[in-house]
Amino acid sequence: MPSLRELQADIARAVLLGEPEAAAVHVMADGIAAEQRLALYQGNVRAALTTALRLTFPAVERLVGVEFFTMAAARCLRAHPPCSAWLDQYGAAFPGFLGAMPECATLPYLADVARFEHALSVAAHAPDEPALDLAALAAVPPSRHAALRFRAHPSVTLLRCDAPVDAIADAALADDADALAAIDPCAGPVHLVVHRGAEGVVTERIDAMDYCFLDRLFGGATLAALLEAAGADAAGLLAHQFITGRIAGFSEADP
Amino acid sequence: MSPLGVPAGSGYPAGAPIQASAGIGLRFPHHAAMLAERPPVAWLEVHAENYMGGGAALAYLTAIRQHYPLSLHAVGLSLGSADGLDRRHLERLATLVDRIEPGLVSEHLAWSITGGHYVADLLPLPLTEEALDVVCRNVDVMQTRLGRTILVENPSTCLRFRHSTIPEWEFLTAVAARTGCGLLCDVNNIAVSAANHGFDPLQYLHGLPPACVGEIHVAGHSVHTLPGGRTIRIDDHGSRVSDAVWGLLAAATARFGAVPTLVEWDNDIPPLPVLLAEADAAQQVLDRATGVRHALAA
């Protein structure tokens, strides 16, 4: 008789990997083969996780078609099963998985479209955070401003993509073949910041310099380090992050 | 006012008990209609995992909570995991419970996590003394963290294990006795498992302790013919409640009395009026049961 832990590992192999042999030994056949019974659960698991990926990556599905998406999802969930039951978080590995699939080589922007869609999903489902405490920030004496570090709202993702993935995703979701054909995927990189504001999920295109500034800002650089490397309108750029709600908190660097 | 226009502080008192009436499972397609139309339904139940983040979903739930008693039905704690509970997931649930202050919190006699991986289904347990110890330990951890008792739901299953030694109703009864939890009696799951495994659903119902049953679920299920001709039932919650399940609900309410009774519908979700009509049908069964008990009392 297997221990419960051993049995559960065997069943996971059956329903996630399609390897039912070890688990089937412990299942009553009772008129239906044990493997057939396990296959019912395998089908449920595959359907549930494929649906989770489909909800997060709708533009990817439009670009590759339902059949290919279903196949790619089935392969991905074998290699990268979820780590928790909070399935809104599932799918972080899918963009990289798509990028490594030889079949996707003809769509070099596909993995970046998936990264963009994952950023949208992260933004939609990130935990709520209290608004930045501006009064507390204002109370920091000027002599300590240089040591301030800011914390991004958990909904924020910065993306640098070789193709205009935001436009590609929009055209794909609109089923607009003409718009899709008009996009030049080699037109140069786009820099995007995705976050959830008061009105919902927002994507903003930014230029390369602003991207570098936000990358340092959200990476935890001190205000002194930020201003040292920033262009002329650092104050305006920082204020814009406060106004949009992309900054959730601040701390003072250790002296 | 909240972003959704609900005055703060109005509505149902925090943690108010859910009355012994029919409710419906609330899913995303009906969020807006529930707020805009506020149809007369006694209570709502949601899957806790759908509200563990922030943003629009949680804002809707918080607003709806102002108008309806709510039950949180978790599907991902994996009470049967030999590895123990996913503490981070339990913290997410605890945060949601603190925010929503639901009238009921429930989970399943099933498992879905092993070796750090979430297998996205409610998988059956071997009904053994070892599994009983594991489930009781996990229910204890969950109840201790939440600071309240939970209800544990009987599963529907498509397979049984050779080394099971305890009838499922006895297993559930033991979990309730050892942990103090209540039971969620899903009569659709009983009907499905009874058909799949060839036992009498009434025997199952009569094996459950009435004092422990705090909620009942009804739902639709589908019948599939497998290669070889055998049929198997799947509780896909994708259709109306079958006559057989309505019959079991009547038998359950005759035994347990009227308790909060939920209509679940998760796939091919119908327009809200269809769901509400199913809840009305469930309410009629509860009313008949209450009438019978009143008649007996008189």
Side-chain angles (χ1 to χ4, degrees):
Chain A
M1 185 175 93
S3 71
L4 184 60
R5 184 172 276 114
E6 290 164 345
L7 180 71
Q8 290 178 336
D10 287 344
I11 294 173
R13 271 193 295 280
V15 301
L16 281 173
L17 304 179
E19 298 169 5
E21 295 78 10
V25 172
H26 307 297
V27 173
M28 288 172 65
D30 199 15
I32 299 173
E35 290 81 358
Q36 209 170 4
R37 293 181 183 277
L38 288 163
L40 293 166
Y41 287 98
Q42 186 190 0
N44 288 347
V45 170
R46 183 179 295 179
L49 295 181
T50 300
T51 297
L53 291 177
R54 184 167 279 135
L55 290 171
T56 298
F57 301 100
V60 169
E61 185 177 27
R62 298 289 179 93
L63 289 168
V64 300
V66 173
E67 194 177 334
F68 183 86
F69 186 92
T70 304
M71 180 272 289
R75 281 199 215 165
C76 182
L77 65 91
R78 283 171 57 102
H80 303 283
C83 299
S84 94
W86 186 20
L87 284 182
D88 288 337
Q89 286 195 320
Y90 183 50
F94 196 49
F97 187 84
L98 287 173
M101 285 179 76
E103 299 93 325
C104 297
T106 53
L107 288 177
Y109 51 78
L110 188 67
D112 274 347
V113 173
R115 283 188 189 94
F116 172 58
E117 291 204 289
H118 187 254
L120 296 176
S121 176
V122 166
H125 298 114
D128 292 332
E129 289 256 347
L132 177 69
D133 187 346
L134 288 171
L137 184 59
V140 176
S143 61
R144 303 208 315 251
H145 282 179
L148 285 172
R149 298 178 196 273
F150 295 95
R151 181 169 56 82
H153 189 276
S155 68
V156 172
T157 302
L158 275 177
L159 288 168
R160 181 201 174 283
C161 302
D162 287 334
V165 293
D166 49 345
I168 293 172
D170 286 349
L173 291 175
D175 271 334
D176 190 338
D178 292 339
L180 202 53
I183 295 169
D184 177 5
C186 304
V190 293
H191 301 84
L192 305 171
V193 54
V194 177
H195 83 290
R196 187 179 74 231
E199 303 301 320
V201 175
V202 178
T203 302
E204 185 185 349
R205 278 199 192 188
I206 53 178
D207 66 28
M209 280 193 63
D210 288 359
Y211 177 89
C212 287
F213 179 87
L214 294 189
D215 197 31
R216 288 194 196 99
L217 172 66
F218 299 144
T222 62
L223 191 56
L226 278 171
L227 295 178
E228 200 173 295
D233 192 26
L237 195 52
L238 190 58
H240 183 58
Q241 309 316 309
F242 292 146
I243 292 164
T244 51
R246 293 179 189 145
I247 304 279
F250 67 91
S251 60
E252 291 183 61
D254 293 334
Chain B
M1 299 283 277
S2 80
L4 292 164
V6 178
S10 71
Y12 286 88
I18 288 175
Q19 48 186 296
S21 301
I24 59 171
L26 175 66
R27 305 295 177 253
F28 290 157
H30 298 317
H31 273 171
M34 287 304 299
L35 267 187
E37 300 164 19
R38 294 188 206 165
V41 61
W43 61 286
L44 305 170
E45 183 167 281
V46 297
H47 286 168
E49 277 71 12
N50 289 338
Y51 302 90
M52 288 185 165
L58 186 59
Y60 265 114
L61 190 66
T62 306
I64 288 168
R65 173 71 183 83
Q66 301 295 323
H67 302 289
Y68 296 94
L70 270 181
S71 162
L72 287 182
H73 191 45
V75 300
L77 261 297
S78 192
L79 291 179
S81 274
D83 297 343
L85 299 184
D86 174 349
R87 296 297 181 125
R88 284 188 298 181
H89 199 69
L90 181 55
E91 287 308 309
R92 285 192 283 268
L93 179 65
T95 300
L96 185 62
V97 168
D98 286 347
R99 172 157 179 159
I100 296 299
E101 300 186 90
L104 294 169
V105 177
S106 50
E107 247 295 353
H108 299 79
L109 179 67
W111 69 276
S112 51
I113 296 176
T114 184
H117 291 138
Y118 173 64
V119 184
D121 201 1
L122 295 165
L123 294 161
L125 279 166
L127 301 174
T128 62
E129 294 295 338
E130 183 200 7
L132 181 59
D133 288 343
V134 164
V135 171
C136 288
R137 193 160 59 235
N138 289 339
V139 170
D140 278 338
V141 169
M142 184 172 171
Q143 293 189 139
T144 299
R145 175 61 189 90
L146 298 183
R148 61 189 295 160
T149 55
I150 63 163
L151 304 176
V152 176
E153 177 180 341
N154 59 293
S156 74
T157 59
C158 298
L159 64 77
R160 291 183 293 180
F161 294 101
R162 295 179 187 279
H163 55 292
S164 287
T165 56
I166 309 171
E168 194 172 283
W169 52 87
E170 288 182 17
F171 193 102
L172 283 162
T173 302
V175 172
R178 283 170 52 175
T179 68
C181 77
L183 299 178
L184 195 173
C185 175
D186 188 316
V187 291
N188 181 55
N189 286 353
I190 292 176
V192 165
S193 288
N196 287 344
H197 306 307
F199 63 77
D200 177 2
L202 291 176
Q203 182 190 5
Y204 194 121
L205 272 186
H206 286 269
L208 294 177
C212 295
V213 176
E215 183 181 344
I216 292 175
H217 277 179
V218 294
H221 64 259
S222 54
V223 184
H224 301 261
T225 303
L226 298 174
R230 284 285 300 266
T231 59
I232 196 118
R233 285 167 201 256
I234 307 277
D235 67 321
D236 55 5
H237 300 178
S239 56
R240 287 182 185 276
V241 178
S242 71
D243 288 345
V245 171
W246 285 130
L248 267 187
L249 175 61
T253 50
R255 174 165 169 76
F256 307 136
V259 297
T261 298
L262 187 86
V263 176
E264 292 184 293
W265 202 319
D266 294 298
N267 291 301
D268 294 327
I269 295 173
L272 194 51
V274 175
L275 207 46
L276 294 169
E278 288 286 90
D280 281 344
Q283 186 62 52
Q284 287 173 28
V285 176
L286 299 188
D287 290 345
R288 281 197 292 274
T290 312
V292 167
R293 288 197 304 145
H294 287 168
L296 287 173

